[in-house]
Every structure is written in C-alpha cells, then in structure tokens.
C-alpha cells in the first residue's frame, strides 16, 4: 500500500508509469487552454505584419513559464505526498496499540474505499508496517520524479505549437486563427477520447464533451475580443 523503505520505494517507482493518462491529458489541456487564451488576448490588440510572430512568441513564452512552474509544483506535490505516507508508516509502526494503528490506516484511506476494506485487512497491513526494521528519515525524490517533471514541462510547451504555430505558417492572421482553433479542437477531442477510455466510458462521448468545452472557451475568447 505504501512505499516505505528506499528499496521498496524505488521498486514501486520503477513499476508505475512516470505520468498516468490523466496526468498527461490534464497537462496537455492546460497548455492548450493557456496558449489559446494568450493567442486570443494578443490577437485582440495586435496588428501588422509581425502580429502572427508576436502571438506565437507570446504564447510560447507563457507556456514555457507555466510549464516550468507546473513541473516544480509536481515535484513539491510528489515530495509532500511521499512525506505523508512516510509519516503514516512511522505512526503505525511505532503505535503499541494495534487497534489505534488500524484506525490510523483507515483514516488515511480515501472516503470511497473505506467501506470496501475491513479492519482485518488493515490489520495485515499494520502488521507488515510494524515488522519493518527501519524507515527513511525523510522523504526524497527519485529519478522518475524528475523524469515526470521534465515530461510535464515538455507536454505544456508542446501544446503551444498546434495553437500558436499557424501564426508563423500563415501570413493572414484570421486564417491562422481558424487553423489554430481547428487544431486545438482536434487535440481536445483526442484528449477526451483518451480520458474516456482510461475511465472506462465511451471515448466518443468524452471526446465530444471535451470539444464542447473547447468551443465554449473559444466563444468566450471571441466575445472578449479574441
């Protein structure tokens, strides 16, 4: 249930994907929405031959900054969650009262899963934690954490190009806007399909729902002058 020792932690990290489907799609959509918002804002105030180039570099600079911030926050979140698990393991391991240890484990469970796990099952976990001879003194980041942070940064930055690159490829800004929004909606649909399949729902339904969200956002940007 919890990675406690250095060896166990590294083994769990090696088996689990660095970023799951929800992480990847969420970061991609975040980057798309950020780039789309900045492109819309800049298009409302920019004119001239350099308009497309300005929009591209503005959106790219925005997502470079947010990609870096998101990557750092991913590391902080990972370290914090690992620290909570280590604290729980230490608490359970040092608790002389078995019932209190089981209660601590139950309190740490997500609300939806608590009714599905009996105290007898939690007692097995408590006993395994109590048998651990040593725990790390503090949580630490491992190699896959940094790989995940780099992955998040690259996903956010990559999502800039379908939105902003048309402004470099097309000299006519209105044409570039159409192409940019079409590519954005296509990527949102693909993202929705991926989320739907991951969740076990119909991929087409979630794809269309994600497109509807993108259309609503695009309409809002147009209404604001984008």
């Amino acid at each position: 249930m919890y990675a406690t020792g250095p060896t166990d932690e590294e083994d769990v990290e090696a088996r689990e994907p660095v970023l799951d489907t929800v992480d990847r799609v969420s970061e991609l959509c975040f980057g798309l929405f950020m780039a789309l918002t900045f492109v819309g804002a800049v298009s409302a105030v920019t004119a001239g031959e350099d308009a497309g180039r300005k929009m591209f570099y503005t959106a790219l600079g925005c997502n470079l900054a947010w990609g870096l911030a998101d990557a750092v926050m991913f590391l902080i979140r990972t370290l914090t969650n690992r620290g909570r698990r280590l604290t729980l393991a230490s608490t359970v391991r040092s608790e002389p009262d078995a019932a209190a240890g089981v209660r601590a484990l139950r309190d740490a469970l997500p609300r939806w899963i608590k009714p599905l796990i009996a105290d007898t099952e939690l007692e097995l976990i408590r006993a395994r934690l109590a048998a651990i001879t040593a725990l790390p003194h503090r949580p630490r980041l491992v190699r896959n954490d940094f790989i995940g942070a780099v992955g998040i940064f690259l996903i956010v930055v990559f999502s800039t190009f379908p939105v902003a690159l048309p402004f470099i490829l097309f000299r006519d800004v209105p044409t570039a806007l159409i192409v940019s929004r079409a590519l954005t909606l296509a990527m949102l649909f693909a993202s929705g399909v991926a989320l739907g399949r991951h969740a076990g729902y119909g991929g087409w339904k979630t794809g269309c729902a994600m497109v509807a969200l993108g259309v609503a956002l695009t309409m809002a940007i147009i209404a604001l002058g984008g």
Side-chain angles (χ1 to χ4, degrees):
M1 182 176 179
Y2 298 99
T4 51
T7 302
D8 292 339
E9 183 177 279
E10 290 171 357
D11 289 344
V12 170
E13 295 295 330
R15 289 194 299 270
E16 294 179 349
V18 177
L19 295 173
D20 63 20
T21 300
V22 176
D23 289 329
R24 293 192 295 269
V25 172
S26 297
E27 295 300 333
L28 178 63
C29 291
F30 171 74
L32 285 173
F33 289 137
M34 288 297 298
L36 185 61
T37 301
F38 267 75
V39 164
V42 174
S43 68
V45 298
T46 305
E49 293 185 1
D50 267 352
R53 193 173 297 274
K54 289 178 181 177
M55 278 187 272
F56 175 79
Y57 286 115
T58 299
L60 181 60
C62 164
N63 277 12
L64 282 170
W66 279 108
L68 178 61
D70 218 15
V72 171
M73 290 308 300
F74 168 79
L75 293 176
I76 293 174
R77 184 173 66 250
T78 298
L79 192 63
T80 301
N81 289 336
R82 194 163 291 153
R84 289 184 62 188
R85 294 195 298 267
L86 180 59
T87 299
L88 175 62
S90 299
T91 299
V92 172
R93 177 172 170 268
S94 60
E95 177 59 62
D97 182 7
V102 169
R103 284 196 300 271
L105 287 172
R106 180 166 294 281
D107 290 341
L109 291 173
R111 182 176 300 177
W112 67 270
I113 204 172
K114 287 182 180 181
L116 305 178
I117 299 182
D119 284 351
T120 53
E121 296 171 293
L122 292 177
E123 169 57 26
L124 295 176
I125 298 173
R126 187 208 64 80
R128 290 182 62 185
L129 288 174
I132 295 176
T133 57
L135 289 173
H137 294 294
R138 61 180 63 88
R140 60 185 179 85
L141 297 171
V142 296
R143 183 186 61 180
N144 275 6
D145 300 326
F146 295 101
I147 293 175
V150 171
I152 285 175
F153 174 78
L154 293 177
I155 289 172
V156 174
V157 173
F158 167 77
S159 64
T160 306
F161 291 93
V163 180
L165 193 58
F167 295 96
I168 297 292
L169 300 178
F170 297 92
R171 298 177 64 86
D172 183 56
V173 173
T175 300
L177 277 170
I178 294 173
V179 174
S180 170
R181 285 163 180 163
L183 290 174
T184 300
L185 294 178
M187 293 189 67
L188 287 173
F189 178 79
S191 298
V193 169
L195 285 178
R197 290 177 176 173
H198 179 73
Y201 300 119
W204 285 92
K205 292 181 180 179
T206 51
C208 291
M210 192 69 78
V211 168
L213 176 63
V215 169
L217 178 60
T218 301
M219 291 175 64
I221 292 172
I222 293 173
L224 293 171

